[in-house]
Amino acid sequence: VNNPTITLSETEYTYNGTERKPNVTSIKDGEVEISSSEYTLSYSDNTNAGTATVTVTDNEGGNYTVSGSVTFTISKAAINPIVSISDWTYGGEASTPTVTENTGDGTVAFLYKARNAADSAYSSAVPTQAGEYTVKANIAESDNYAAGSATKDFTISKAAIDTQDMNAPTAVANLTYTGSAQALITAGSVTSGIGTMYYAVTTTNTAPAESAYTTSIPTGTNAGTYYVWYKVVGDANHNDYVSQSPLSV
């Protein structure tokens, strides 16, 4: 009997590193069941993912001459990877993501996007601007393991504005009443691109309301003491800087 009908107990397995040997539940010549004493079974390619084979070999001296084979499938196992990444501060060294539980040692590619952006926005470019992001690790399939992916949110924090990033304003000395408005300070400056300097003026040493700050140079008309406050409003990558004490004019 060549190519008899061979029925297996199972035809689909998932790779687990061990040999898979489904039982042969029946071998038939047409409708006639052939006794298991008539043949010997052997298995090949039955550990790794792919197509495995059960081969039927005839036992001499029986009532039948039996030969044939049947295949079954071993599917690749799933992986459950975990990607990790540390936050960093704008202008600092970017963190390198790492992956664990990459069971099949598949090739890893990292992609990035703004945290709330669509998945179509993923790119291999490492972000550099302050903000909230997501990194995605795409892991290629390997011989016995399917492809997988994992994501992790991270933040690039705004950098602080340091005094070395600016020239503070200075009070104008020896002002004398003239009846006209006079500039109270010489304007300060900020390193290009990191923020804008704002000023506010009070006649008492009391911090002004936020709404009092403008980019205009403060002026005074009447004789008396003025207090000039200043701050730098940072750009998208820098925190604000607020002077802790005013200039007295």
Side-chain angles (χ1 to χ4, degrees):
V1 180
N2 292 322
N3 298 317
T5 302
I6 305 171
T7 303
L8 302 178
S9 59
E10 292 186 62
T11 58
E12 295 284 343
Y13 289 89
T14 299
Y15 172 79
N16 70 355
T18 65
E19 285 189 315
R20 297 297 201 176
K21 291 185 175 182
N23 294 324
V24 174
T25 58
S26 71
I27 295 181
K28 291 183 178 181
D29 176 17
E31 296 298 319
V32 179
E33 183 84 27
I34 299 175
S35 170
S36 60
S37 63
E38 297 281 344
Y39 55 82
T40 299
L41 301 176
S42 62
Y43 297 80
S44 59
D45 300 322
N46 60 324
T47 299
N48 294 322
T51 301
T53 303
V54 181
T55 300
V56 177
T57 304
D58 182 63
N59 290 338
E60 294 183 0
N63 296 318
Y64 291 88
T65 301
V66 186
S67 66
S69 64
V70 66
T71 60
F72 62 96
T73 300
I74 301 176
S75 299
K76 294 185 177 185
I79 61 173
N80 297 293
I82 299 170
V83 59
S84 301
I85 189 171
S86 299
D87 298 337
W88 71 90
T89 300
Y90 173 80
E93 183 177 356
S95 297
T96 300
T98 58
V99 171
T100 56
E101 306 303 322
N102 180 6
T103 313
D105 293 326
T107 302
V108 181
F110 295 109
L111 301 174
Y112 303 85
K113 72 177 181 70
R115 186 171 300 177
N116 295 320
D119 285 352
S120 58
Y122 274 116
S123 164
S124 59
V126 179
T128 58
Q129 305 298 299
E132 296 182 330
Y133 298 93
T134 300
V135 62
K136 181 178 184 181
N138 282 336
I139 301 170
E141 67 178 0
S142 55
D143 289 344
N144 291 309
Y145 292 89
S149 64
T151 61
K152 177 68 175 179
D153 292 338
F154 67 97
T155 300
I156 301 177
S157 301
K158 291 183 178 183
I161 295 177
D162 195 83
T163 53
Q164 66 185 12
D165 298 318
M166 71 181 81
N167 292 313
T170 56
V172 176
N174 303 318
L175 289 175
T176 302
Y177 173 77
T178 64
S180 300
Q182 300 181 71
L184 299 174
I185 62 167
T186 299
S189 63
V190 185
T191 300
S192 177
I194 70 169
T196 304
M197 192 166 288
Y198 284 74
Y199 311 94
V201 61
T202 61
T203 55
T204 62
N205 192 3
T206 302
E210 286 296 314
S211 59
Y213 282 91
T214 72
T215 55
S216 300
I217 299 299
T219 61
T221 300
N222 296 324
T225 300
Y226 294 88
Y227 297 91
V228 177
W229 307 75
Y230 68 95
K231 67 178 181 178
V232 177
V233 176
D235 65 1
N237 292 311
H238 293 84
N239 290 313
D240 295 349
Y241 172 90
V242 180
S243 174
Q244 298 302 305
S245 58
L247 300 173
S248 180
V249 183

